[in-house]
Amino acid sequence: MSQAPRRVTIRDVAARAGVSIATVSRVLGGTYPPAPATRSKVMKAVRELDYVANPHARALSGATSKTIAIVLNSVISPYYAHVAQGVQAEAARHDRLCLIGITGGDAARELATVRLMREEGADAVILVGNVVDDDGYKTRMAEYASALAAAGSQLVLCGRPSLGPDVPSVNVEFDNTGGARAATSHLLSAGHQRILYLGHRVGYTTSEGRIAGYREALAAFGVEHDPGLEVQGTWERAEGYRLIKKRLQSGPPDFTAVFAANDQVAAGALKALRESGLRVPDDISMIGYDDLPPAEDIGLTTVHVPHEELGRTAARMVLERESAGAGHVMLGTHIVVRDSVRPLARPR
Amino acid sequence: MSQAPRRVTIRDVAARAGVSIATVSRVLGGTYPPAPATRSKVMKAVRELDYVANPHARALSGATSKTIAIVLNSVISPYYAHVAQGVQAEAARHDRLCLIGITGGDAARELATVRLMREEGADAVILVGNVVDDDGYKTRMAEYASALAAAGSQLVLCGRPSLGPDVPSVNVEFDNTGGARAATSHLLSAGHQRILYLGHRVGYTTSEGRIAGYREALAAFGVEHDPGLEVQGTWERAEGYRLIKKRLQSGPPDFTAVFAANDQVAAGALKALRESGLRVPDDISMIGYDDLPPAEDIGLTTVHVPHEELGRTAARMVLERESAGAGHVMLGTHIVVRDSVRPLARPR
């Protein structure tokens, strides 16, 4: 096979001139210019080698690219990461860069990030995830929406409820309640009636949507709702572990199944159950929510949320629409059956 | 308890004026002004309620924040996500925003992202992870370094080898080779000699560092190096699964232990071994690399890489240094022992 002729690089120029690459770069870039003698040596080598400055170097001083921005609390959460991945994929398809701002859950940093993205000229600013849907939140979002619209950009809410028809924003949700109803029904169909709901975050929209589905399924199956089975907690792995440990301190389990608010909570709960000598699914059945790592690795039956599709849809709604405006999409969820639920032998 | 008086919000103004929040926002923001009659109604409500425009609204038109930027291939990889988390934490401590650019592994998008971050006025642009350390790469990095330095910013390489003293960049690495030497020694000490190295990516710096440690440990223990035990492959879960499936097609395992190039590969390999009726650690011992999810959930003994500390250190070196310049830090790695390695009964 013949080889394409090797392009002359900045390294070759540096070698020929007997200087460092950084020196060549300084001469060509005109920044931090070195001594005139050095400059002459470099320019001589450039001419002799017929060096064409790298397209990269030229592009580095080119015009600003169009961007689409996404603002997250954290990138460690696989939930956020997978939504961001969807936005990135769709942005690339439309020749946009994808910028992610991280707030750490801090409102002041969220504000500063939205402002930065607006100044950046982002086509859209996508905010993702669980919120407390109170007056302060609604006001803040209305202000973002107006400020972005005024700059020719757009506010997109992803996995959050709509702000209503008056606020110029695009909205992509998934069916939290439907998924939770299906998950609970799956356990009820297997004969479980004492189902521990693990990790309810009161007031948070995603959490309220999920627990509503749990309650609806109980009602549909005619199973009495025991508020003592609804355990409040945050959505981390360590919290799932802690909640089960605490619950089992006072005696044997008063439940035959666990519906964890998300897969992380399920992973922590699984560990705590095992440490207490309880096997899943032999002794306790378990179902999670999200279908994100580590659900597959721990064989967890869970509710699949189309995270990447959420991000893709959000980006697509902004980039493929002819003019800015409102819009609302609700994506479906479904159960993924693995190996963490077992039918309960019913007492006769 | 007495309650603080509730602040008048844009909602109150909207309700008093009988218009939508968006309309109030338009009037106050001066964008998309509504009809004069509507404007009068709104301004009357503002005066009556003594409404002070939300600090958020004012801040939304404030000055640009300082940022620190990090450029990643993907946010789905927990490796990148944890480094980014470290950068974000340190940026927050120094009152900087953290912006993440995603390239999808595409050089043109990397270039455009670095350029955008430079125009953005980022204090530093941090590039993370595994690369093929060839001439093209070195040239590209030298050009980034010069362009960023010229704009008063800085190039930071995180988990990548240094560009040498001539290129103005900061460099934070971790000890890939030391970690792999320790992991392999751990298996050798348990009596394993046929250790399958799973997932070598030839030419990639991180991978070359790890396999060098594997080979060094074999040599130190006087165990002959069998190149047939070094299996090439990428670093995804599905690849670990595929490689083990393929290896076991031709007969029983010709190895007693697996050293997976990272935890994702280990998780895939574990699944494939189980499907072939081989238990870990009873039949096959296994060790991974990274100590990221799902290592804990699958009980994997692995090498801990201080990912967040890598990000924190990178950000700190830029933000706490009095003037821009070069710098190089190497962070340590260590083994985390869980439950995937068992001593091998030595034949006598």
Side-chain angles (χ1 to χ4, degrees):
Chain A
M1 282 204 310
S2 72
Q3 279 201 301
R6 199 172 68 83
R7 195 169 61 76
V8 174
T9 70
I10 196 170
R11 291 180 75 82
D12 302 312
V13 176
R16 169 75 65 113
V19 301
S20 72
I21 290 175
T23 301
V24 177
S25 185
R26 272 184 228 128
V27 170
L28 296 178
T31 56
Y32 300 152
T38 309
R39 200 186 121 74
S40 302
K41 268 198 297 189
V42 170
M43 291 315 291
K44 183 158 173 285
V46 166
R47 283 190 303 274
E48 287 169 358
L49 292 171
D50 194 22
Y51 174 68
V52 178
N54 191 310
H56 279 136
R58 269 206 297 271
L60 265 169
S61 56
T64 303
S65 304
K66 290 291 279 178
T67 59
I68 185 157
I70 173 165
V71 180
L72 309 173
N73 285 345
S74 151
V75 275
I76 290 208
S77 150
Y79 173 108
Y80 294 125
H82 282 75
V83 173
Q85 170 70 11
V87 171
Q88 139 70 13
E90 200 63 24
R93 225 168 59 81
H94 287 85
D95 205 22
R96 301 292 200 285
L97 293 182
C98 176
L99 278 190
I100 304 178
I102 306 293
T103 67
D106 180 84
R109 287 175 74 75
E110 177 186 274
L111 167 72
T113 305
V114 170
R115 190 176 63 203
L116 182 69
M117 298 308 194
R118 192 196 56 172
E119 287 169 2
E120 187 50 59
D123 284 309
V125 177
I126 303 175
L127 300 187
V128 185
N130 212 9
V131 288
V132 177
D133 190 15
D134 60 9
D135 266 14
Y137 166 75
K138 284 201 179 74
T139 304
R140 209 162 80 236
M141 291 306 117
E143 285 162 352
Y144 290 173
S146 305
L148 288 169
S153 182
Q154 258 190 106
L155 177 67
V156 181
L157 301 182
C158 198
R160 293 184 177 185
S162 169
L163 299 170
D166 288 343
V167 179
S169 70
V170 171
N171 185 247
V172 187
E173 290 184 81
F174 58 94
D175 190 4
N176 273 302
T177 302
R181 200 166 42 224
T184 310
S185 300
H186 185 71
L187 292 169
L188 288 162
S189 301
H192 297 279
Q193 301 211 338
R194 300 282 301 167
I195 303 170
L196 195 70
Y197 185 89
L198 201 66
H200 179 39
R201 302 181 73 186
V202 179
Y204 281 83
T205 52
T206 307
S207 189
E208 293 292 353
R210 292 184 186 179
I211 206 161
Y214 165 77
R215 291 170 186 161
E216 285 175 21
L218 290 174
F221 277 72
V223 172
E224 200 186 349
H225 174 235
D226 177 359
L229 288 173
E230 294 183 355
V231 183
Q232 292 188 21
T234 60
W235 284 18
E236 289 95 41
R237 196 181 186 291
E239 179 81 343
Y241 180 82
R242 192 183 69 76
L243 293 174
I244 289 289
K245 280 279 179 189
K246 194 175 156 205
R247 186 94 184 177
L248 295 178
Q249 262 173 6
S250 44
D254 59 340
F255 52 89
T256 65
V258 174
F259 179 10
N262 74 6
D263 297 341
Q264 301 287 325
V265 169
L270 187 69
K271 191 181 172 204
L273 286 169
R274 275 195 192 141
E275 288 182 9
S276 304
L278 293 164
R279 293 159 304 165
V280 172
D282 307 70
D283 302 312
I284 300 285
S285 286
M286 186 179 289
I287 199 161
Y289 209 114
D290 275 348
D291 196 22
L292 288 173
E296 187 180 353
D297 288 307
I298 61 178
L300 183 68
T301 294
T302 188
V303 178
H304 179 77
V305 174
H307 292 100
E308 290 202 29
E309 191 53 31
L310 268 176
R312 279 185 176 275
T313 304
R316 207 158 40 218
M317 284 176 76
V318 169
L319 296 171
E320 292 185 359
R321 163 182 294 271
E322 272 149 34
S323 60
H328 185 230
V329 167
M330 171 78 82
L331 299 177
T333 49
H334 64 266
I335 295 191
V336 177
V337 175
R338 295 201 179 93
D339 191 30
S340 62
V341 174
R342 185 154 294 182
L344 189 72
R346 285 169 199 255
R348 308 218 168 199
Chain B
M1 283 203 308
S2 73
Q3 279 199 302
R6 199 170 69 82
R7 195 169 62 77
V8 174
T9 70
I10 196 171
R11 290 180 75 80
D12 302 319
V13 176
R16 169 75 65 117
V19 301
S20 72
I21 290 174
T23 300
V24 176
S25 186
R26 271 183 228 130
V27 170
L28 296 177
T31 56
Y32 300 152
T38 309
R39 198 187 123 74
S40 302
K41 268 198 296 189
V42 170
M43 292 315 292
K44 183 158 174 284
V46 166
R47 283 191 302 275
E48 287 170 356
L49 292 171
D50 195 22
Y51 174 67
V52 178
N54 192 311
H56 278 135
R58 269 205 298 272
L60 265 169
S61 55
T64 302
S65 305
K66 291 290 280 178
T67 59
I68 185 158
I70 174 164
V71 180
L72 309 173
N73 285 345
S74 151
V75 274
I76 290 209
S77 150
Y79 173 108
Y80 294 124
H82 282 76
V83 174
Q85 171 70 10
V87 171
Q88 138 71 13
E90 200 62 25
R93 225 170 58 82
H94 287 84
D95 205 21
R96 299 293 200 284
L97 293 181
C98 176
L99 277 191
I100 305 178
I102 306 294
T103 67
D106 180 83
R109 287 175 74 76
E110 177 186 274
L111 167 72
T113 305
V114 170
R115 189 176 65 203
L116 182 68
M117 299 308 196
R118 193 196 55 172
E119 287 169 2
E120 186 50 56
D123 284 308
V125 177
I126 304 175
L127 300 187
V128 186
N130 212 10
V131 287
V132 177
D133 191 14
D134 60 9
D135 266 15
Y137 167 75
K138 285 202 178 75
T139 304
R140 208 162 79 237
M141 291 306 117
E143 285 162 352
Y144 290 173
S146 305
L148 288 169
S153 182
Q154 258 192 104
L155 177 67
V156 181
L157 300 182
C158 197
R160 293 183 177 185
S162 169
L163 299 171
D166 287 342
V167 180
S169 70
V170 171
N171 186 246
V172 187
E173 289 184 84
F174 59 93
D175 190 3
N176 273 302
T177 301
R181 199 167 43 226
T184 311
S185 301
H186 184 71
L187 292 169
L188 289 162
S189 302
H192 297 279
Q193 302 211 339
R194 300 283 301 168
I195 303 171
L196 194 71
Y197 184 89
L198 201 65
H200 179 40
R201 300 181 73 186
V202 179
Y204 281 83
T205 52
T206 307
S207 188
E208 294 292 351
R210 291 182 187 180
I211 206 161
Y214 165 78
R215 292 170 186 161
E216 284 175 23
L218 291 174
F221 276 72
V223 172
E224 200 186 347
H225 173 233
D226 177 358
L229 288 173
E230 295 183 354
V231 182
Q232 292 187 21
T234 60
W235 284 18
E236 290 94 40
R237 196 181 185 290
E239 180 82 342
Y241 179 83
R242 192 183 69 77
L243 292 175
I244 289 289
K245 280 278 176 189
K246 193 175 157 204
R247 187 94 182 174
L248 295 179
Q249 261 173 7
S250 45
D254 59 339
F255 52 89
T256 65
V258 173
F259 179 9
N262 75 4
D263 296 341
Q264 300 287 326
V265 170
L270 187 69
K271 191 182 171 203
L273 286 169
R274 275 194 193 143
E275 288 183 8
S276 305
L278 293 164
R279 292 159 305 165
V280 173
D282 307 68
D283 303 312
I284 301 285
S285 285
M286 186 178 289
I287 199 160
Y289 210 113
D290 276 348
D291 196 22
L292 287 173
E296 187 181 353
D297 288 307
I298 61 177
L300 183 70
T301 293
T302 188
V303 179
H304 179 78
V305 174
H307 292 101
E308 289 203 28
E309 190 54 31
L310 268 175
R312 279 185 177 275
T313 304
R316 206 158 40 219
M317 284 176 76
V318 169
L319 295 171
E320 291 184 0
R321 152 184 305 269
E322 272 150 35
S323 59
H328 186 227
V329 167
M330 173 77 84
L331 300 178
T333 49
H334 64 264
I335 295 192
V336 177
V337 175
R338 295 202 179 94
D339 190 30
S340 61
V341 175
R342 184 156 295 183
L344 188 71
R346 284 170 200 255
R348 308 218 168 199

